[in-house]
Amino acid sequence: MTIVRNKDLTAWNTFGLKVSCACFVEYGSVAELEELWKRNRDGLGLPETGGAGDGTAFPSPILHIGRGSNLLFTKDFPGTVFHSDIKFIEAGGESCGITAGETAGDRRTDVEVGAGVLWDDFCRWSAEQGLWGPENLSGIPGETGAAAVQNIGAYGVEAKDFIRMVKCFDYITGKVVAFRPSECRYGYRESMFKTSAKGRYVVTSVCFSLSSGPNPKLEYGNVRAAVDKALEDTGKSLTPALVRDVILSVRNSKLPDPAVIGSAGSFFKNPVVPRSDYERVASIARIGHSDDCQVPHFDTGSGFIKIPAAWLIEQCGLKGYRDGNAAVYERQPLVIVNLTGEASPEEILAVEKKVSDSVYSKFGIRLQPEVEHI
Ligand code: EPU
């Protein structure tokens, strides 16, 4: 367990904002988390073991973070930041609570992954094992626990598609509980961990059901064409490792590497709107362009249409828009970046407001942030 007071969080948010927290606690096991919980409940405060732990109270509030890849710290955090360093990848069904009968014959392998494992380390491991599931989600920053909270998604796949079980520590009862995906109320970048049960559960590990039989998902955008080209160029066969390599190169051509330019990936969600709103957007687009101007869209099938926020932002002329040290990323306008590495939270917020207000005034659609504001 590590405890540090007045911790600089620059390396703990992928925007690279220079913010700090009053106290930072990293635990390496469920038992350590349980101990912290008991001490907090009993008013004993931080343990006097190592680091700056001195038995005084946990500064509140408490915030659990992964790698801070989907967070915007709007100011210094006055409380205690908790981080899980629970790291293991374990193949085999038993720990996921699965009986042999459920898995027999369907060529599936169940894998349990600690919440603190970097998501892309899990993706690489799966590809190396020849297991299908997370390959389309390769290269997404952040950790496995946060991936299950956020239901991360890319290239036609969401984490919920192959999550089997989410194991959590319950902050109310102090017990470990496990949820099936149907209980997690997953939606587009949504789960109960972000909404109805926010703050109650801490994910400690996630069980995934991976496929050892071929199960490629290539229907999104140009993924199939890129995979076909890679098969032809390399002479290799279709494996999760090959799909992973293709996805990584597609991502790298569009999205900033947070190690080089600070960002939190997509800043906004793609709006899902009633058909009448979509038709209004289409008619506004026709006025600005030609009669056959096509609005890219995806019909969700329930009367609602998903419109790419990147397209709406681009139509407002904001691709590459810069204000001080913050900017709209020139290759993917859904991403707000800390362009110089020196951006303040206020500068990121000013670009968010500019984008949000511009899209609203042109199209009447209020974009919702995907990034969590702290
Ligand atoms: N588009 C533009 N201009 C651009 C870029 C995109 O008009 O400069 C339009 C195009 O019509 C394009 C469409 O937007 O076809 C979709 O673009 P893209 O495939 O890049 O995906 P996205 O909807 O912008 C989502 C996720 C990304 C994920 C990609 C790929 C959200 C909020 N974002 O972006 O996730 O990588 O799909 O699947 O759903 C993240 O969550 O942080 C993230 C990066």
Side-chain angles (χ1 to χ4, degrees):
M1 189 183 302
T2 313
I3 301 160
V4 182
R5 294 218 177 251
N6 299 318
K7 166 105 169 155
D8 174 50
L9 294 176
T10 311
W12 287 92
N13 73 102
T14 55
F15 264 120
L17 300 179
K18 294 178 177 58
V19 288
S20 64
C21 61
C23 188
F24 182 87
V25 178
E26 192 168 57
Y27 56 89
S29 65
V30 177
E32 284 186 356
L33 176 59
E34 195 174 8
E35 184 198 332
L36 288 164
W37 176 79
K38 281 194 184 132
R39 296 189 72 90
N40 199 24
R41 181 197 60 183
D42 299 342
L44 295 173
L46 297 162
E48 295 168 26
T49 49
D54 55 10
T56 54
F58 291 83
S60 62
I62 287 174
L63 170 73
H64 259 89
I65 66 167
R67 281 291 151 146
S69 57
N70 203 47
L71 298 182
L72 173 60
F73 284 103
T74 57
K75 54 184 183 305
D76 287 337
F77 186 68
T80 304
V81 169
F82 273 50
H83 175 250
S84 164
D85 200 31
I86 302 178
K87 281 198 174 111
F88 65 90
I89 300 181
E90 197 177 293
E94 241 173 79
S95 58
C96 297
I98 295 151
T99 61
E102 279 180 89
T103 52
D106 62 358
R107 303 180 71 195
R108 302 202 74 81
T109 298
D110 294 292
V111 179
E112 184 171 4
V113 184
V117 172
L118 279 178
W119 175 259
D120 195 53
D121 284 352
F122 164 57
C123 295
R124 188 187 311 108
W125 179 90
S126 300
E128 284 167 1
Q129 308 297 311
L131 294 169
W132 296 88
E135 63 283 351
N136 288 31
L137 305 183
S138 291
I140 296 183
E143 295 173 358
T144 304
V149 169
Q150 170 74 352
N151 185 26
I152 57 170
Y155 306 105
V157 173
E158 290 182 318
K160 75 167 172 52
D161 300 342
F162 54 99
I163 286 177
R164 174 117 195 161
M165 190 92 82
V166 183
K167 292 191 185 174
C168 302
F169 183 80
D170 182 340
Y171 246 75
I172 291 184
T173 64
K175 297 208 168 9
V176 173
V177 283
F179 296 103
R180 293 191 177 271
S182 55
E183 296 170 301
C184 296
R185 289 189 222 122
Y186 280 127
Y188 170 53
R189 302 293 197 277
E190 282 299 347
S191 72
M192 71 162 176
F193 306 115
K194 295 178 69 182
T195 51
S196 54
K198 191 172 164 65
R200 174 163 184 180
Y201 301 107
V202 180
V203 177
T204 53
S205 64
V206 186
C207 298
F208 298 99
S209 179
L210 307 184
S211 167
S212 44
N215 194 17
K217 302 276 188 325
L218 308 179
E219 301 317 316
Y220 185 94
N222 62 354
V223 171
R224 182 178 290 280
V227 165
D228 285 345
K229 183 166 184 321
L231 289 171
E232 204 178 303
D233 290 352
T234 63
K236 290 183 182 168
S237 53
L238 184 58
T239 59
L242 182 128
V243 175
R244 168 178 165 78
D245 286 347
V246 167
I247 293 289
L248 287 174
S249 68
V250 173
R251 273 187 79 83
N252 293 340
S253 69
K254 288 187 177 177
L255 295 169
D257 176 356
V260 182
I261 303 178
S263 86
S266 301
F267 196 97
F268 299 98
K269 292 184 188 178
N270 288 324
V272 179
V273 299
R275 180 165 283 282
S276 54
D277 284 13
Y278 162 72
E279 274 155 10
R280 188 184 64 243
V281 168
S283 68
I284 293 168
R286 278 195 293 275
I287 295 166
H289 299 274
S290 60
D291 274 358
D292 58 356
C293 175
Q294 296 292 317
V295 180
H297 64 282
F298 171 76
D299 197 334
T300 63
S302 50
F304 287 87
I305 312 276
K306 191 190 261 189
I307 306 176
W311 184 87
L312 296 169
I313 299 167
E314 187 170 350
Q315 298 307 305
C316 293
L318 290 174
K319 217 170 175 174
Y321 167 84
R322 179 175 177 180
D323 183 1
N325 294 297
V328 173
Y329 192 52
E330 57 191 353
R331 276 186 270 161
Q332 168 46 293
L334 195 48
V335 179
I336 295 179
V337 292
N338 177 356
L339 195 63
T340 60
E342 298 298 322
S344 62
E346 292 75 18
E347 286 177 300
I348 303 285
L349 289 167
V351 172
E352 173 186 9
K353 185 168 179 343
K354 171 78 180 175
V355 170
S356 182
D357 289 352
S358 302
V359 169
Y360 186 69
S361 98
K362 186 170 173 87
F363 294 110
I365 290 179
R366 183 59 81 185
L367 295 179
Q368 297 303 317
E370 193 209 290
V371 168
E372 191 179 352
H373 292 54
I374 305 294

